[in-house]
Amino acid sequence: MEKKRINIKSILTGIGVILLYFIGSSIYTNILNLFGVNYSKLSIAVKSIYLGFYELILTLIIVYIYKKDFIPNLKDFIKNNTKYFKEYIKYWFMMLGLMMIANILITNFTTSLTSNNQQTIMDNLKIAPIYTFVVTVFIAPVLEELVFRLSFRKIFYKNDILFIIISGLVFGSLHVLGSFNALIDLLFIIPYSIPGFIFAYIYCKSKNICVSMSIHFIHNGIMLLLSFILFMLT
């Protein structure tokens, strides 16, 4: 009986954090209206500072909610990070290969050479490089792993396959649905879901959210570096 009550609490916590993430993401610009500030009229620099601050605060709130999971995982990762790196870095190479194959195949069906999300990152890198770097490399991996991995795991704690599929698809979809121009662009959900699947699998296997976070850090950092090199060459 006690076990069932704990599981129900865990599920509700996961749902609550997911709702917090989505609701917050939809109203963060409206928060300024309470103080008489029009977000659309702010300069790019001020917008970047505000968005970075907002995402940092949201991340800290979710870390606090999950402190009983996160702190022991962090301590374990600090102690065993070398072992985890050796065991799980191979999945990043697998993920990279699968993404490259998926992107190559998709370019045969669409005129877009890259997703709108990737183009947005490129544009932000030109306009607000510091904000883009901090959010993409440091904040996003923590926030997204807590929301899309830890929260979904709490909901689908009994079924690894269902957790991996739903976590990956939701993660991939959110990187595409907000910026696609045509239905054919939805194909980019596939390469964006692949990291979600891999991160979820790593979390399932390691049972440590900091392990999937670390691979997410590496992935975002290298992808941003490649984007920066591409930006410098064009």
Side-chain angles (χ1 to χ4, degrees), residues 43-171:
S43 68
I44 293 175
V46 175
K47 284 182 179 178
S48 298
I49 293 172
Y50 172 69
L51 286 174
F53 182 75
Y54 164 77
E55 293 184 4
L56 176 61
I57 294 299
L58 180 61
T59 301
L60 292 175
I61 291 173
I62 296 177
V63 166
Y64 179 78
I65 292 172
Y66 283 142
K67 61 182 182 296
K68 291 183 179 179
D69 297 282
F70 182 74
I71 294 176
N73 279 190
L74 180 59
K75 290 180 179 179
D76 174 58
F77 181 77
I78 292 173
K79 182 179 179 181
N80 300 294
N81 62 86
T82 301
K83 181 191 74 174
Y84 283 131
F85 181 80
K86 290 180 179 179
E87 185 172 354
Y88 293 103
I89 191 61
K90 60 187 176 185
Y91 294 106
W92 178 76
F93 287 104
M94 181 190 303
M95 174 177 70
L96 197 62
L98 292 173
M99 289 180 68
M100 289 175 63
I101 293 171
N103 277 306
I104 290 171
L105 292 175
I106 288 172
T107 56
N108 292 322
F109 296 96
T110 175
T111 56
S112 300
L113 296 177
T114 184
S115 68
N116 287 329
N117 181 77
Q118 181 60 35
Q119 187 58 51
T120 299
I121 293 175
M122 293 287 291
D123 293 340
N124 289 339
L125 193 59
K126 297 176 184 178
I127 298 171
I130 296 176
Y131 160 78
T132 304
F133 176 78
V134 171
V135 171
T136 303
V137 179
F138 294 105
I139 297 178
V142 177
L143 180 59
E144 292 176 354
E145 289 307 302
L146 290 175
V147 174
F148 297 106
R149 249 59 69 188
L150 184 52
S151 295
F152 277 91
R153 186 56 172 167
K154 286 184 174 295
I155 298 171
F156 302 104
Y157 64 94
K158 286 187 175 182
N159 193 315
D160 292 349
I161 295 176
L162 189 61
F163 158 64
I164 291 171
I165 292 174
I166 293 179
S167 171
L169 285 176
V170 173
F171 178 78

Side-chain angles (χ1 to χ4, degrees), residues 190-212:
I190 298 172
Y192 273 107
S193 293
I194 290 172
F197 297 142
I198 298 297
F199 295 146
Y201 176 78
I202 289 173
Y203 180 40
C204 272
K205 194 172 181 182
S206 67
K207 296 179 174 58
N208 187 323
I209 194 63
C210 292
V211 179
S212 59

Side-chain angles (χ1 to χ4, degrees), residues 7-33:
N7 288 337
I8 291 175
K9 179 181 178 180
S10 180
I11 291 171
L12 291 176
T13 301
I15 293 173
V17 168
I18 292 170
L19 289 176
L20 173 64
Y21 175 81
F22 281 108
I23 293 173
S25 297
S26 64
I27 67 170
Y28 70 89
T29 58
N30 296 326
I31 294 175
L32 293 177
N33 292 334

